[in-house]
Amino acid sequence: MANKIESLEDFVKVHGILLAASGLPQKLYPHLFHKLASDTLDGGAHFQIEPCDDGRRRRLVLTSESMPKDSDVFLIDHAWTFRLPDAYKQLQEIPGLAERMGSLMCVDTDLEGKAGEEEEEDTENYEQISVNQALESEIRSAVDKGYDSLKWLELEGLGIDDDTLLSLHLPSKFQDLLALSLFGNKLESADVVIQEVTKFKNLKALWLNDNPVLQKSERRMADEILQSCPSLEIYNSCFTPNYALWALGFCGDIFGKDNPDYVQQDHPLCNVTSLDLSNRAIHNLVNKAFSVHELPLLSQLNIRGNPLDQNSVGELFEVLKVFPSLSSLEVDIPGPLGNSAVVILESLPNLSLLNGVDTAKIFENGKHVVDSMIQPRLPEPKPEDNLIDRVLGAMWLYVMNYRLADEEKIDETSLWYVMDELGSALGHSDEPNFKVAPFLFMPSGNLDSAVSYSIMWPIKSSHKGDEGTRDFLSGIGEDKHRSARLTAWFHTPENYFIHEFEKYQQNQHAKAFKSLPLTPSITQSIRHNDGSPLLVHTDLPQVEEFLTRPEFVLTNEPKDADIIWTSMQVDAELKKAVGLTDDQYINQFPFEACLVMKHHLAETIQKAYGSPEWLQPTYNLETELTPFIGDYCLRQRDGLDNLWILKPWNMARTIDTSITDNLSAIIRMMETGPKICQKYIEHPALFKGKKFDLRYVVLLRSIDPLEIYLTDIFWVRLSNNPYSLEKHSFFEYETHFTVMNYGRKLNHKPTAEFVREFEQEHNVKWMDIHEKVKQLIRQVFEAAALVHPDMQSDKSRAMYGVDVMLDSSFQPKILEVTYCPDCMRACTYDMETINGKEIVKARDFFNYVFGCLFLGETAHVTPL
């Protein structure tokens, strides 16, 4: 057993790598050692936690008079440490954990009660005021202000339905109406709304927000209303293509209920200095009303949240340049003015503030993406969510992670943790005043004695009342999608991401190679002319045991072998070390990573075919995070399913694989290693209520010409639990995953038996499905041949596992391609061939495989 650490020297010796990785200044090592040795958590003497955003989050405020840079270091306890699959179970079973996390994450534990109270209040309000009373009140208000007729009418939240709207006869009573708000009522019929609204010939603004009719017929209703009301400038809070002075004046606080019109005013906007046009769905800023002639004094402009897709970047700069007083601009970056704050400032040199940041500071730091106004994501629990559900939803705004390692190996999965109340109150800043790093204190000098903390120290001088901040993405720049990754914590501009996704989608649709022609086999048997057996070197026990044909003899000497059949990656360095030559056959193809690494497989297929129906939408988060966020936002906006599965680039057995519909979770999980994000098949074909996938074995003789064979056996892999989309089921491995070979209960189902029962259950013919699978597999390897012709090697012969899943329409979807697949089942169970006419003996499986690849035989295989 290691000795207890008692001196600073020993502390630094044992923790040297951790100290260096943390970035803690050496002068603070003694402070840290003293606090760790005495378990001193004294942050509360220097800081105070304050609620903000109406109690929906907290911030950390310095209470000491001052705290100079690098003057102290503080220990932060870890309130919760877990591996992701265990999170739900721990919150259920550890006493007080859910309650503490709920409080720490500011998740309102009384949400249901509050919702009930609000509902009651709303009901009382409906009872207290009738529609007619509201109408009379509006008319009296207009008369009191000296108006001859009612021009602005608000009938909001009054429970108005279609019959009530017809009975009010609003168009005949208020012919001069300029603005009508029916916000938050119960209108359902598009025909009724169109019939009534289009009778108003002078209408400038119409609000129908939060009515059921918008969910049913929004597009048709908008088209007909805009066509019949050419004067309409604002529709459901958005600018119409006909927007002009009135809409701009409304956003500039010139027009409103107290001043609805600009009669006898030639230039009503001439005194406007600040104009907020954010989130108005403006597509075109080139407009006669938006000009220096009408807005000569404009100095502050906000155009965030608008697509502005009918203008080029150059056109927008030309429009904005003409305003001589424009000194402050709010705009999405990246967005309609491009991706760089620096370029925007160079094009608009009169600006002194861009997105709330001083322009001199932007030039000084050379930052391309700046935003001081970006709003934080706050927990948004649903009324039906219990406390645990709220914590699981909110935790991605708080969790951090690390991975354990020792001299021998590194953990396959990361540990996630939540800092204590003090650490979790630290906010984000691009220019933080504190740095935080995880730290494992090993008081006995070994990992078994480790206690996890985070350490926090000032990297800038701070003063009393200053907020304590850290960089949530420390060390991550725009080369690693910093701005997009901030979406995990902040409401970044959705329109920009959707626009980038649409460009990405157009690019995908533009791709299409022609299929390769089917050609006769040209590969020959590699038998020796003298009839001597081929020497095989392998590190696979199954090959050693079951390759029993006399044509092949095993050898322990790699350099003597004719065939190298290995589970290891063979590169030039290994060849040199072992003494391999280019004349030896090997069970690998050059550049086969284009198939067997998940991100490369998707990229290869997309380069060849764009977005074929047999590949679920797939994004490499390391390079395609921006279009992915756009896809996610578009699905969310359109009410589509948003369930995704995250898979590491190159890990097997579903290690570090997760399923979620939480955007913050998806982005945060990038921190545990490179991943693809793939649309989850939420409605798969089921076998007796359980999810399954299919493992096929493919033999590749040549890339050019493409010679590919499918073995006549496949096997089904079944999950152990009935399939469910209930949200807690995503923490259950045996509900959503099918790989059970490794330490879990394996329910082997004979293939022929599965096929017969599946056909009976679903009334389908398996051979019809099998033909689609064969076509899919052929196309996957065609994609590799088309995109990576450099895979061809005369000395390569390989076996691959191809995993396929069927959706509920029995359409096959590619999951992954595996190098040197585990053939335990093929070597354990005698299997009936797909056509049901023969039995493939388990002990002969590798005899057939080697016969096909090296002797030119076709027994128990089908050419594709």
Side-chain angles (χ1 to χ4, degrees):
M1 185 175 174
N3 294 324
K4 184 177 179 181
I5 293 174
E6 294 184 349
S7 69
L8 176 62
E9 184 182 355
D10 289 341
F11 170 72
V12 173
K13 184 177 179 181
V14 169
H15 299 85
I17 294 175
L18 287 168
L19 289 165
S22 72
L24 183 72
Q26 287 191 13
K27 72 175 187 177
L28 291 178
Y29 288 3
H31 293 259
L32 178 60
F33 174 52
H34 168 72
K35 291 188 178 185
L36 286 167
S38 57
D39 194 25
T40 300
L41 287 88
D42 59 344
H46 302 271
F47 301 94
Q48 180 176 311
I49 300 169
E50 294 182 351
C52 55
D53 290 318
D54 296 323
R56 297 176 70 191
R57 68 184 181 96
R58 293 174 179 154
R59 64 183 196 135
L60 192 66
V61 177
L62 185 66
T63 55
S64 296
E65 287 301 321
S66 65
M67 187 169 290
K69 176 183 176 182
D70 298 339
S71 60
D72 204 347
V73 61
F74 300 94
L75 296 186
I76 296 174
D77 198 11
H78 290 175
W80 181 27
T81 302
F82 59 96
R83 295 191 192 276
L84 195 52
D86 303 327
Y88 177 57
K89 188 176 180 182
Q90 288 188 12
L91 287 167
Q92 281 183 305
E93 296 180 357
I94 298 176
L97 177 62
E99 288 75 15
R100 182 179 181 186
M101 290 300 104
S103 173
L104 182 150
M105 296 174 187
C106 301
V107 181
D108 185 3
T109 55
D110 256 333
L111 188 65
E112 293 96 333
K114 286 190 177 180
E117 287 166 20
E118 285 169 11
E119 258 175 50
E120 271 178 36
E121 229 172 81
D122 289 344
T123 307
E124 286 170 17
N125 287 341
Y126 289 150
E127 292 170 356
Q128 286 169 8
I129 183 167
S130 70
V131 176
N132 287 327
Q133 286 174 323
L135 204 52
E136 289 171 9
S137 174
E138 291 283 284
I139 295 169
R140 275 198 308 273
S141 176
V143 171
D144 291 344
K145 291 170 187 171
Y147 297 130
D148 296 332
S149 60
L150 188 67
K151 295 190 176 183
W152 191 291
L153 178 59
E154 295 178 0
L155 299 174
E156 299 179 351
L158 296 171
I160 297 172
D161 58 18
D162 300 325
D163 291 339
T164 305
L165 181 64
L166 288 170
S167 70
L168 292 174
H169 303 295
L170 297 178
S172 59
K173 292 178 181 175
F174 310 111
Q175 297 176 8
D176 297 329
L177 204 64
L178 294 177
L180 172 63
S181 177
L182 295 168
F183 191 100
N185 284 294
K186 298 180 180 179
L187 299 171
E188 294 190 20
S189 170
D191 291 332
V192 168
V193 173
I194 292 167
Q195 172 189 317
E196 291 300 289
V197 165
T198 53
K199 293 175 184 176
F200 293 105
K201 298 307 175 187
N202 302 312
L203 206 59
K204 296 287 186 183
L206 174 64
W207 291 275
L208 298 169
N209 312 55
D210 199 19
N211 275 280
V213 68
L214 294 180
Q215 311 224 336
K216 300 177 182 177
S217 315
E218 182 176 11
R219 185 68 59 87
R220 177 174 78 86
M221 194 165 64
D223 290 343
E224 294 198 32
I225 289 174
L226 293 179
Q227 189 175 353
S228 302
C229 300
S231 298
L232 197 65
E233 298 187 29
I234 295 177
Y235 175 71
N236 291 347
S237 306
C238 298
F239 278 21
T240 73
N242 301 323
Y243 81 89
L245 286 174
W246 196 93
L248 294 174
F250 173 76
C251 293
D253 294 326
I254 298 298
F255 307 128
K257 191 169 185 176
D258 293 334
N259 185 30
D261 205 355
Y262 54 94
V263 179
Q264 297 178 343
Q265 295 181 57
D266 290 337
H267 299 289
L269 312 186
C270 62
N271 292 318
V272 170
T273 58
S274 179
L275 192 57
D276 183 356
L277 302 181
S278 60
N279 301 305
R280 293 291 178 182
I282 301 171
H283 294 271
N284 188 352
L285 203 58
V286 178
N287 185 293
K288 184 178 178 182
F290 187 72
S291 64
V292 70
H293 179 68
E294 298 292 349
L295 293 156
L297 302 181
L298 184 64
S299 62
Q300 299 175 39
L301 175 65
N302 186 343
I303 53 173
R304 290 173 181 273
N306 292 295
L308 297 174
D309 46 5
Q310 294 178 16
N311 303 126
S312 67
V313 173
E315 282 178 323
L316 291 172
F317 281 137
E318 289 303 315
V319 169
L320 298 175
K321 279 178 185 175
V322 300
F323 294 97
S325 302
L326 187 61
S327 60
S328 174
L329 177 66
E330 298 276 345
V331 64
D332 297 330
I333 306 175
L337 293 183
N339 300 336
S340 170
V342 173
V343 172
I344 292 172
L345 294 180
E346 289 172 345
S347 302
L348 301 172
N350 289 340
L351 291 181
S352 57
L353 285 176
L354 179 60
N355 291 350
V357 180
D358 188 283
T359 55
K361 204 170 186 181
I362 296 170
F363 279 122
E364 180 185 333
N365 296 329
K367 283 201 164 188
H368 291 284
V369 180
V370 296
D371 206 330
S372 69
M373 306 298 291
I374 192 169
Q375 294 301 307
R377 290 187 184 274
L378 299 172
E380 297 177 351
K382 298 173 184 174
E384 67 270 19
D385 285 349
N386 61 31
L387 180 58
I388 292 176
D389 292 332
R390 295 178 207 156
V391 170
L392 290 171
M395 71 183 189
W396 296 104
L397 303 174
Y398 294 91
V399 291
M400 300 170 75
N401 65 84
Y402 59 83
R403 190 169 290 196
L404 295 173
D406 57 25
E407 295 84 356
E408 297 178 2
K409 66 173 185 176
I410 186 169
D411 250 8
E412 290 178 331
T413 57
S414 294
L415 285 165
W416 293 89
Y417 64 94
V418 177
M419 293 188 289
D420 66 16
E421 285 75 2
L422 187 144
S424 291
L426 282 163
H428 167 76
S429 174
D430 289 341
E431 298 174 356
N433 49 5
F434 287 87
K435 184 171 181 181
V436 174
F439 194 86
L440 286 181
F441 177 47
M442 296 175 278
S444 296
N446 55 32
L447 201 55
D448 290 338
S449 67
V451 182
S452 66
Y453 295 95
S454 287
I455 55 175
M456 177 182 83
W457 69 98
I459 55 174
K460 283 183 180 177
S461 294
S462 299
H463 301 280
K464 187 173 183 177
D466 287 350
E467 181 180 355
T469 58
R470 65 180 178 91
D471 185 349
F472 287 177
L473 291 170
S474 181
I476 295 174
E478 286 306 320
D479 59 324
K480 296 203 176 287
H481 311 287
R482 179 182 176 86
S483 294
R485 289 173 75 158
L486 281 171
T487 303
W489 295 278
F490 296 95
H491 290 285
T492 50
E494 285 189 6
N495 287 333
Y496 165 73
F497 291 110
I498 290 172
H499 183 58
E500 290 299 301
F501 163 67
E502 289 169 345
K503 287 196 297 185
Y504 169 88
Q505 199 174 38
Q506 289 169 5
N507 188 40
Q508 292 293 325
H509 290 162
K511 297 172 182 174
F513 279 90
K514 289 184 178 179
S515 295
L516 292 172
L518 296 172
T519 57
S521 172
I522 63 167
T523 53
Q524 303 293 319
S525 168
I526 67 167
R527 297 175 195 262
H528 293 307
N529 292 331
D530 61 5
S532 59
L534 295 163
L535 297 180
V536 178
H537 176 77
T538 184
D539 58 1
L540 290 165
Q542 291 168 348
V543 178
E544 290 176 343
E545 182 177 357
F546 295 108
L547 183 60
T548 57
R549 295 182 59 156
E551 295 95 333
F552 303 96
V553 173
L554 298 177
T555 176
N556 291 326
E557 283 295 334
K559 62 180 183 296
D560 295 337
D562 298 296
I563 300 167
I564 303 294
W565 193 275
T566 177
S567 60
M568 295 189 300
Q569 181 67 40
V570 177
D571 54 20
E573 188 177 334
L574 182 63
K575 278 188 171 185
K576 184 177 179 182
V578 178
L580 302 183
T581 70
D582 291 337
D583 294 326
Q584 293 170 294
Y585 286 86
I586 188 167
N587 68 327
Q588 293 170 18
F589 275 80
F591 308 105
E592 67 182 5
C594 73
L595 288 168
V596 301
M597 293 185 74
K598 297 179 188 70
H599 63 307
H600 287 321
L601 173 63
E603 180 185 39
T604 298
I605 294 169
Q606 289 163 348
K607 281 184 176 178
Y609 305 120
S611 301
E613 63 178 2
W614 43 268
L615 174 70
Q616 288 289 93
T618 305
Y619 299 90
N620 177 358
L621 293 180
E622 295 297 303
T623 58
E624 297 170 334
L625 177 60
T626 294
F628 162 70
I629 293 174
D631 191 353
Y632 182 98
C633 291
L634 200 57
R635 287 174 178 276
Q636 187 175 54
R637 189 186 73 184
D638 295 344
L640 300 177
D641 175 86
N642 234 338
L643 203 55
W644 298 82
I645 183 166
L646 287 95
K647 307 176 185 178
W649 281 358
N650 199 28
M651 295 281 270
R653 314 198 311 272
T654 62
I655 293 169
D656 200 18
T657 299
S658 303
I659 303 163
T660 184
D661 62 358
N662 186 313
L663 180 59
S664 294
I666 292 169
I667 297 171
R668 295 298 311 279
M669 281 191 267
M670 292 173 66
E671 297 167 25
T672 64
K675 290 180 178 62
I676 64 165
C677 186
Q678 191 170 68
K679 186 67 194 64
Y680 192 59
I681 303 171
E682 66 271 15
H683 299 297
L686 302 178
F687 179 69
K688 297 182 178 179
K690 295 179 180 180
K691 186 176 176 179
F692 68 90
D693 65 21
L694 309 167
R695 164 60 64 88
Y696 291 85
V697 177
V698 173
L699 307 178
L700 183 61
R701 284 187 188 169
S702 167
I703 282 288
D704 186 15
L706 185 60
E707 292 185 31
I708 181 174
Y709 295 83
L710 186 65
T711 62
D712 284 346
I713 60 170
F714 71 92
W715 51 94
V716 60
R717 303 186 299 189
L718 290 159
S719 63
N720 288 336
N721 297 339
Y723 182 70
S724 171
L725 285 174
E726 196 275 326
K727 57 189 172 186
H728 300 137
S729 74
F730 298 115
F731 291 95
E732 300 168 0
Y733 180 94
E734 297 189 13
T735 299
H736 288 273
F737 297 104
T738 60
V739 179
M740 304 294 168
N741 306 39
Y742 307 94
R744 297 179 186 272
K745 181 184 176 185
L746 173 63
N747 292 314
H748 174 68
K749 186 75 175 176
T751 302
E753 191 178 310
F754 163 79
V755 167
R756 284 192 294 271
E757 293 179 17
F758 188 86
E759 286 182 328
Q760 290 173 359
E761 180 181 354
H762 295 287
N763 193 26
V764 294
K765 293 181 179 178
W766 186 262
M767 289 309 293
D768 293 342
I769 295 171
H770 184 60
E771 286 302 312
K772 293 177 182 177
V773 172
K774 285 166 59 179
Q775 185 178 359
L776 178 157
I777 293 174
R778 165 83 188 183
Q779 286 184 290
V780 168
F781 283 85
E782 272 190 9
L786 290 164
V787 177
H788 296 282
D790 44 2
M791 274 185 69
Q792 173 57 21
S793 168
D794 294 337
K795 296 294 182 180
S796 294
R797 305 279 194 277
M799 175 174 72
Y800 299 96
V802 178
D803 296 337
V804 172
M805 184 172 286
L806 306 179
D807 67 16
S808 57
S809 301
F810 312 111
Q811 299 301 315
K813 307 278 187 176
I814 184 70
L815 298 183
E816 64 179 299
V817 177
T818 305
Y819 160 73
C820 201
D822 178 1
C823 293
M824 179 274 292
R825 296 199 206 201
C827 296
T828 303
Y829 303 102
D830 295 344
M831 294 194 191
E832 196 175 305
T833 57
I834 294 170
N835 59 19
K837 295 178 180 178
E838 297 179 73
I839 298 292
V840 178
K841 296 290 185 182
R843 64 176 181 269
D844 289 330
F845 175 74
F846 273 105
N847 289 333
Y848 293 128
V849 168
F850 274 67
C852 175
L853 290 176
F854 301 108
L855 303 181
E857 299 172 353
T858 56
H860 296 308
V861 297
T862 301
L864 295 180

